[in-house]
Amino acid sequence: MAKKLFLFLVLLSVSSPVFSQSEEFTFHGFKDVGKNISLNGVAEIEQNGILRLTNYTSAVLGHAFYSIPFEFKNSTNGKAFSFSTAFAFAIVPEYAKLGGHGFAFTIAKSKELKGALPRQYLGLLNEKDNGNFSNHLFAVEFDSVSDYEFKDISDNHVGIDINSLVSNISVNVSCFSQGNSIEQKLNLRSGKIVQAWVDYDSVSNLLNVTLSLSSSKPNVPILSFPVDLSPIFLEYMYVGFSASTGLLASSHYISGWSFKINGQAQSLDLSSLPSVPRSKKNHLPLILVYSFSAAVSVALAIGIVLYMIKKFVTMDVIEPWELDIGPHRYSYRELKKATGGFKDEELIGLGGFGRVYKGTLPNTNAKVAVKQINNGSKRGMREFISEIETIGRLRHRNLVQLLGWCRRRDDLFLVYDFMSNGSLDKYIFDEPKLILSWEQRFKIIKGVASGLLYLHEEWEQTVIHRDIKAGNVLLDSELNGRLGDFGLAKLYEHGTDPSTTKVVGTLGYLAPELTKTGKPTTSSDVFAFGALLLEIVCGRKPIEVKALPEELILVDWVWEKWQEGSILEVVDTRLRGEYDEGEVVMVLKLGLMCSNNAPAKRPNMRQVVSFLKGEVPLQEVMVAPDEYGGKKFVSGRATSARADKVLHSYLESPYLEKVSSWSSVYHCKRVVDLEAGSTSTLSASLTEDERF
């Protein structure tokens, strides 16, 4: 009897294995999948059976995995098995042509992907485990955002990711049609249903990715990658999809899916799959038409009109041109709730443009900084928001991320990542709550320089910041420096000449040539960066009015000490002599070079970064950084008349924006006082941190 029972168990184990090398499945929609599909994040199956990985919420992720793992590797010889999958997908952006972020077909050791982040991480990894061999992660990403950090080739690409979001290989999205002979471009954000095939041959160690807008599989893949996945795969792995949203949001849909180990997955008949919902539309005009058409009597018409007027006062009115603007557009109600009604208790900053509030977004609990800008000019608002669309696509670890915006009548709200340690000026001037060490200061300097190089040379357009100063360098939780506040930034194509504009910025950081040409350039940014270098090392502002009738002009004071051979006397005494002398001297020399009166004598940011990294030594002979009027100061201490002359060189410029719609009434009054020649007001103006 025992022998028969043993034989039965042996036969049962052979005929009914838990995991089979020939396992496969096919889903024509997901309506009746039951427990076969495991979901987490915001992923859900809609009523018509389509799988939606994400929705129009910012900074969320969604996962959908087959519930049971597959055997992906031969336990005897350690060789990976071949596999094939076909799936139909569509990416429907919240606003046409503005998608974010993307999704990936994924083979992973876990179906939860714990600790994964949204945005550029696609819900797959996070900043700590990205690139680790222990991830055992394989993914084919379909990405609609170009991310600088991960070296994406475009905002419309397919890539192979192995243990990292930096793709091993990637191509711009396309497909073949008309007898597999004609390649045509394909936009991931089009909202069209696309069928994708991912095929891995473990004999030839070749991975192919093929796309089509039809049910038939083309003979020509868009991407082929020779790779042996045996070291990547564990014996058992999970298959599924991961997606995320970022600044911009898209709904990522999967309408059908087939998969097979050691064989060819079944292609899907697109006509038999659930339909994909269209993108959001603005139904306000339709509501208004039906509301007014229902006014068949005088009393009813009056009631409807009064009701609509009341609603109009409190709602966000979106004009047609705003629908084409990215990044994510928040509603005023969201931001009001996030900041507790813009309470004074949440106020964390007050600048020339408006107030800055700390907030918590209601859906994600993400900490943000909300900047409220007041403006009376609708035309100026439209031009400003158009630039925000471009600035919102900047991606660099040393730039403060613009998450989105909101317009409510004449008020503009910008939403940024919240920097928990505030602005740099609070740590280097007066009596800071924390004294930054030299190592921390040097790291901040190198970080800001890297971000500025990205703006000047490495992004698709040249971006001139125009307001570089300690107050606009923000510190994250790890005291990394991030350049923020792009409210004054100007953009132009590489190789072109920037246009003449109004002189804006902060006194002490403005390059002298701006008063003559009115043209902001990358070199004028370098001048401001030079002032920033000196104030970080010295712990003093570029222009100080403390003991009238004398004022300190920092660059001339540092130059005087350099000539005397006592340059280390300018170093912030709060460092107590604990610093790398070579690094400090190098930064001071670099600050003097950047502060030169002649733009041609200043280094560019690529040279600055090379100097800071120690790749190129600084010159031994230093050139004097001329005084604003062309003459050199005898001493770093200037008389009140000299300081007034410096200020008037800007006030008398034909390019100075003396009465700006973005300025406060208080500042406009001060400009009038300045032009009237009030010496006391001139001196006081140098202590303020305001824009012209």
Side-chain angles (χ1 to χ4, degrees):
M1 180 66 183
K3 184 177 181 179
K4 290 182 179 180
L5 179 59
F6 174 78
L7 291 173
F8 172 77
L9 292 174
V10 170
L11 290 172
L12 181 62
S13 64
V14 172
S15 61
S16 304
V18 177
F19 305 110
S20 171
Q21 294 180 12
S22 61
E23 272 202 67
E24 63 180 301
F25 60 77
T26 301
F27 297 122
H28 297 284
F30 299 86
K31 196 169 187 179
D32 300 315
V33 295
K35 296 182 179 180
N36 288 324
I37 297 293
S38 176
L39 306 175
N40 66 35
V42 298
E44 62 179 357
I45 297 173
E46 299 194 341
Q47 289 185 350
N48 68 343
I50 196 168
L51 170 60
R52 187 179 70 182
L53 296 170
T54 62
N55 50 39
Y56 293 139
T57 304
S58 298
V60 297
L61 56 81
H63 297 144
F65 280 83
Y66 194 71
S67 299
I68 301 174
F70 283 86
E71 188 176 7
F72 271 89
K73 189 161 68 173
N74 190 318
S75 59
T76 303
N77 58 21
K79 182 68 175 176
F81 294 131
S82 300
F83 69 86
S84 174
T85 187
F87 51 90
F89 71 89
I91 299 178
V92 182
E94 181 178 15
Y95 299 109
K97 302 179 181 180
L98 297 172
H101 252 267
F103 81 99
F105 167 74
T106 308
I107 300 176
K109 61 183 179 181
S110 167
K111 58 187 176 182
E112 285 84 18
L113 299 177
K114 292 182 179 179
L117 297 176
R119 298 178 181 167
Q120 68 267 34
Y121 291 94
L122 302 182
L124 295 172
L125 299 169
N126 59 51
E127 57 186 2
K128 294 183 179 180
D129 60 21
N130 186 48
N132 294 343
F133 183 79
S134 59
N135 292 333
H136 293 285
L137 178 79
F138 167 82
V140 180
E141 68 171 47
F142 299 80
D143 199 347
S144 60
V145 172
S146 177
D147 189 80
Y148 169 81
E149 181 180 357
F150 296 146
K151 303 176 183 179
D152 289 341
I153 60 173
S154 71
D155 59 356
N156 188 52
H157 67 272
V158 176
I160 305 299
D161 300 343
I162 297 177
N163 291 328
S164 171
L165 271 302
V166 179
S167 298
N168 299 77
I169 185 174
S170 59
V171 295
N172 290 317
V173 180
S174 64
C175 63
F176 287 87
S177 60
Q178 296 187 11
N180 302 322
S181 61
I182 299 177
E183 184 178 12
Q184 65 183 55
K185 292 183 179 180
L186 180 62
N187 189 344
L188 290 175
R189 301 182 293 272
S190 66
K192 296 178 180 179
I193 295 183
V194 180
Q195 184 161 194
W197 293 263
V198 179
D199 302 294
Y200 174 65
D201 186 341
S202 64
V203 176
S204 60
N205 288 334
L206 184 65
L207 180 74
N208 287 330
V209 179
T210 310
L211 297 181
S212 175
L213 291 172
S214 69
S215 303
S216 302
K217 182 180 181 181
N219 295 328
V220 182
I222 66 164
L223 188 154
S224 291
F225 181 50
V227 60
D228 182 5
L229 293 178
S230 301
I232 309 304
F233 287 164
L234 301 176
E235 185 176 356
Y236 291 100
M237 305 279 284
Y238 290 90
V239 294
F241 301 93
S242 176
S244 71
T245 62
L247 302 182
L248 303 174
S250 294
S251 289
H252 299 88
Y253 294 98
I254 307 294
S255 56
W257 182 23
S258 67
F259 181 83
K260 188 171 184 177
I261 294 285
N262 289 331
Q264 181 63 51
Q266 178 183 332
S267 295
L268 303 169
D269 179 6
L270 300 187
S271 63
S272 66
L273 302 180
S275 59
V276 176
R278 296 183 178 182
S279 61
K280 290 171 63 176
K281 292 184 177 180
N282 182 9
H283 298 289
L284 179 61
L286 186 62
I287 294 173
L288 292 175
V289 169
Y290 277 98
S291 297
F292 282 104
S293 65
V296 294
S297 67
V298 176
L300 184 60
I302 293 175
I304 292 175
V305 170
L306 291 176
Y307 174 76
M308 293 305 297
I309 291 175
K310 182 179 179 181
K311 291 290 290 182
F312 182 80
V313 170
T314 58
M315 73 185 299
D316 293 337
V317 180
I318 303 176
E319 297 185 28
W321 59 268
E322 294 183 64
L323 297 177
D324 296 328
I325 299 296
H328 179 73
R329 190 187 198 281
Y330 291 94
S331 69
Y332 176 73
R333 182 177 297 179
E334 282 181 284
L335 300 186
K336 185 176 181 181
K337 184 176 181 181
T339 58
F342 298 99
K343 291 181 179 178
D344 289 342
E345 290 81 358
E346 301 297 332
L347 186 66
I348 57 175
L350 184 63
F353 274 102
R355 296 168 171 254
V356 183
Y357 296 87
K358 179 182 178 181
T360 303
L361 295 178
N363 292 329
T364 62
N365 290 326
K367 302 295 182 183
V368 295
V370 181
K371 187 167 189 177
Q372 181 181 11
I373 301 172
N374 300 316
N375 175 39
S377 169
K378 181 175 289 188
R379 181 181 178 185
M381 175 76 77
R382 181 168 179 172
E383 292 171 350
F384 196 65
I385 292 178
S386 295
E387 293 186 0
I388 289 172
E389 177 182 11
T390 304
I391 293 169
R393 293 188 285 121
L394 296 173
R395 299 286 189 281
H396 193 278
R397 59 186 173 276
N398 294 111
L399 301 180
V400 178
Q401 187 92 27
L402 176 64
L403 302 178
W405 64 286
C406 169
R407 183 181 75 88
R408 186 172 185 263
R409 294 194 289 276
D410 289 334
D411 288 341
L412 176 68
F413 301 86
L414 302 181
V415 183
Y416 294 93
D417 270 338
F418 177 68
M419 297 290 105
S420 57
N421 279 309
S423 56
L424 176 61
D425 58 338
K426 294 181 175 63
Y427 294 85
I428 58 175
F429 300 140
D430 303 322
E431 298 180 3
K433 58 183 180 181
L434 171 68
I435 305 298
L436 295 177
S437 67
W438 171 248
E439 289 77 12
Q440 291 169 327
R441 298 186 194 207
F442 194 46
K443 182 176 73 169
I444 292 168
I445 288 170
K446 290 189 289 185
V448 175
S450 177
L452 199 53
L453 172 61
Y454 169 76
L455 294 178
H456 286 183
E457 299 184 24
E458 296 178 345
W459 198 57
E460 61 191 51
Q461 289 179 289
T462 297
V463 182
I464 306 174
H465 188 277
R466 297 209 296 171
D467 201 17
I468 298 164
K469 59 183 180 181
N472 285 338
V473 175
L474 302 180
L475 306 180
D476 62 19
S477 58
E478 297 178 352
L479 293 175
N480 295 305
R482 300 196 187 190
L483 187 58
D485 199 343
F486 291 84
L488 298 179
K490 286 294 179 184
L491 305 96
Y492 61 92
E493 299 299 325
H494 290 293
T496 61
D497 190 30
S499 59
T500 300
T501 183
K502 297 294 183 181
V503 177
V504 294
T506 305
L507 190 62
Y509 304 84
L510 292 170
E513 69 270 13
L514 288 173
T515 62
K516 300 177 182 178
T517 66
K519 290 184 178 181
T521 63
T522 55
S523 184
S524 59
D525 265 0
V526 171
F527 183 90
F529 182 73
L532 176 67
L533 292 179
L534 297 180
E535 62 185 354
I536 291 177
V537 177
C538 303
R540 308 189 72 160
K541 296 180 181 180
I543 299 177
E544 290 185 357
V545 182
K546 291 186 176 180
L548 293 176
E550 291 188 336
E551 288 82 30
L552 177 77
I553 298 189
L554 185 58
V555 62
D556 294 289
W557 180 57
V558 174
W559 173 248
E560 177 187 354
K561 294 298 182 181
W562 175 266
Q563 289 182 307
E564 294 175 355
S566 54
I567 187 64
L568 294 180
E569 291 183 10
V570 306
V571 180
D572 191 346
T573 57
R574 289 168 293 193
L575 289 174
R576 300 180 182 276
E578 297 177 0
Y579 52 81
D580 185 303
E581 185 174 317
E583 290 177 349
V584 165
V585 172
M586 182 266 291
V587 172
L588 287 170
K589 290 172 67 176
L590 190 56
L592 290 172
M593 290 170 61
C594 294
S595 300
N596 198 288
N597 188 57
K601 294 181 181 179
R602 301 171 200 151
N604 58 42
M605 286 311 300
R606 186 165 298 280
Q607 292 171 319
V608 168
V609 170
S610 295
F611 291 139
L612 291 172
K613 289 182 177 179
E615 298 172 345
V616 180
L618 278 172
Q619 61 195 43
E620 292 298 327
V621 179
M622 295 293 293
V623 179
D626 299 330
E627 193 258 319
Y628 292 93
K631 300 177 182 178
K632 299 181 180 66
F633 274 132
V634 176
S635 169
R637 288 283 174 181
T639 65
S640 180
R642 275 188 182 138
D644 291 351
K645 180 181 178 182
V646 171
L647 182 60
H648 274 296
S649 70
Y650 292 100
L651 289 175
E652 294 169 1
S653 169
Y655 302 107
L656 179 65
E657 190 170 6
K658 296 180 180 177
V659 181
S660 167
S661 59
W662 296 97
S663 301
S664 64
V665 174
Y666 170 68
H667 179 63
C668 290
K669 178 183 182 299
R670 290 251 311 277
V671 171
V672 173
D673 291 339
L674 292 173
E675 293 179 316
S678 170
T679 304
S680 60
T681 310
L682 283 170
S683 300
S685 70
L686 297 175
T687 67
E688 294 294 330
D689 187 17
E690 293 189 22
R691 299 180 176 86
F692 288 106

